[in-house]
Amino acid sequence: MNKHPELALNGVPVCDTFAEAFTTVGTRIIVTALTEAWVRIAAAEATGYATSVIACDAEAGVEKFLSPAESPDGRPGVSLMFFAFGQTALEKAVTNRVGQCILTCPTTACYSGYTSEDPEKNISLGSQLRFFGDGFQISKKWGNRRLWRVPVMDGEFVCEDQTGTFKGVAGGNLLICAADQKRGLLATEAAVSAMQQVDLTILPFPGGIVRSGSKVGSRYSKLKASTNDAYCPTLQAQTTSELPQGTGCVYEIVIDGAAFEPVQQAMQIGLHTICQQPGILQITAGNYGGKLGKHHFHLKDLIHSAQA
């Protein structure tokens, strides 16, 4: 990686490098509830422990919250997106999460948020969870879609039979090198708020921010990944550091999306936002030399887009 950036945006040095992302399988579901408060609780529960497929069954997050006018049943809602490396793994993760976190949550209903033209690309949703009804469940047609009404103790849990899948992009990223933790966090929070407005994308880490960026491999053979020591400010004298002088804090933002374009748009907005904040010493991105992921987001392209 270039330790001497040749690019800049608003006076902030930007490394002439790229973020490397991977092809995944994704889906989108819509969850509704009686109140916005219960929508938010359901969203938080269903997307918990879903930050990285290094150790989680899926990467997941909130795409956007929906007004009653935007939701399928006229109630407050939320669009959730899930990503995994294969359709089978995705189906298992989504079914388990909806069953454990949405079915159990007061007043919720669950609908498909993506329609696939190929039936082979659909995954189970209510078609699995209906068996919780113990034979009392009822099938209901909704146009050309099928819903299940599962009796529960506060009424019925309505859940769509299946949801579609698509080829997604996971792992777009920005690395923010700041003078200190406070200014680094404020800048990254500002970027996250702006990036969350981009449809068809999620930021799967806590609050959209990663403080424990990782590298592939470890000196401990059982670990697939370990701390990215080149970007740890406390290790600058002990390792081959990639940090500019004066760096006291580094945060990362990881972006998953339904396609290349929305991920690129979110990264462009994030880069532009960060470079307007004080205390930022450098922006860069993580990659593996282009050998592991086919989706490359070059920061120079994002700068040109931001300045266009």
Side-chain angles (χ1 to χ4, degrees):
M1 187 174 294
N2 187 0
K3 297 174 70 172
H4 305 286
E6 300 173 356
L7 308 170
L9 180 60
N10 293 336
V12 176
V14 177
C15 288
D16 189 4
T17 187
F18 62 92
E20 185 173 355
F22 307 85
T23 298
T24 57
V25 180
T27 193
R28 183 176 185 258
I29 65 170
I30 306 298
V31 177
T32 68
L34 183 64
T35 66
E36 183 180 345
W38 281 111
V39 167
R40 290 184 177 274
I41 290 170
E45 296 292 334
T47 60
Y49 188 48
T51 57
S52 171
V53 289
I54 291 175
C56 303
D57 61 352
E59 297 186 5
V62 171
E63 180 203 3
K64 59 182 176 180
F65 289 94
L66 305 173
S67 69
E70 297 171 308
S71 81
D73 58 13
R75 306 191 302 169
V78 64
S79 170
L80 306 178
M81 297 181 74
F82 300 82
F83 296 88
F85 279 135
Q87 186 168 318
T88 300
L90 181 67
E91 181 177 65
K92 181 178 180 180
V94 172
T95 301
N96 285 344
R97 288 171 179 272
V98 172
Q100 292 298 305
C101 305
I102 307 300
L103 169 64
T104 60
C105 184
T107 77
T108 58
C110 184
Y111 305 92
S112 170
Y114 182 80
T115 301
S116 174
E117 296 181 358
D118 182 357
E120 295 297 320
K121 294 184 178 180
N122 289 337
I123 58 174
S124 297
L125 201 56
S127 62
Q128 294 276 353
L129 299 175
R130 65 189 171 99
F131 295 111
F132 182 74
D134 199 29
F136 296 99
Q137 67 271 17
I138 300 172
S139 175
K140 177 182 178 180
K141 291 292 286 183
W142 182 30
N144 61 351
R145 298 161 73 171
R146 181 180 296 278
L147 303 179
W148 289 98
R149 296 164 56 190
V150 180
V152 290
M153 293 191 298
D154 74 347
E156 290 182 329
F157 173 61
V158 175
C159 188
E160 191 149 354
D161 186 62
Q162 295 183 325
T163 187
T165 66
F166 51 81
K167 290 292 185 182
V169 176
N173 67 86
L174 294 170
L175 287 161
I176 301 100
C177 305
D180 54 59
Q181 191 179 80
K182 181 178 180 179
R183 285 184 284 184
L185 188 57
L186 287 172
T188 310
E189 287 174 338
V192 165
S193 294
M195 296 165 77
Q196 287 175 332
Q197 305 307 308
V198 180
D199 288 348
L200 300 179
T201 65
I202 61 167
L203 310 180
F205 281 83
I209 301 174
V210 188
R211 59 94 67 106
S212 59
S214 60
K215 66 179 184 294
V216 175
S218 167
R219 65 181 64 188
Y220 302 105
S221 58
K222 293 183 179 180
L223 294 184
K224 297 179 182 178
S226 59
T227 191
N228 196 351
D229 54 280
Y231 287 90
C232 293
T234 58
L235 299 180
Q236 291 180 76
Q238 303 175 52
T239 190
T240 303
S241 179
E242 294 285 347
L243 299 178
Q245 186 174 2
T247 299
C249 173
V250 180
Y251 285 121
E252 182 178 7
I253 303 174
V254 172
I255 310 98
D256 296 348
F260 183 93
E261 290 76 14
V263 174
Q264 184 180 53
Q265 182 185 359
M267 289 182 62
Q268 181 264 311
I269 290 172
L271 178 66
H272 186 73
T273 302
I274 293 163
C275 290
Q276 298 180 61
Q277 311 304 313
I280 304 304
L281 304 181
Q282 179 178 285
I283 308 297
T284 187
N287 63 67
Y288 308 93
K291 297 178 180 179
L292 298 181
K294 71 175 186 178
H295 306 287
H296 300 165
F297 299 92
H298 290 268
L299 300 190
K300 62 182 178 182
D301 296 335
L302 303 183
I303 289 177
H304 296 154
S305 296
Q307 292 176 332

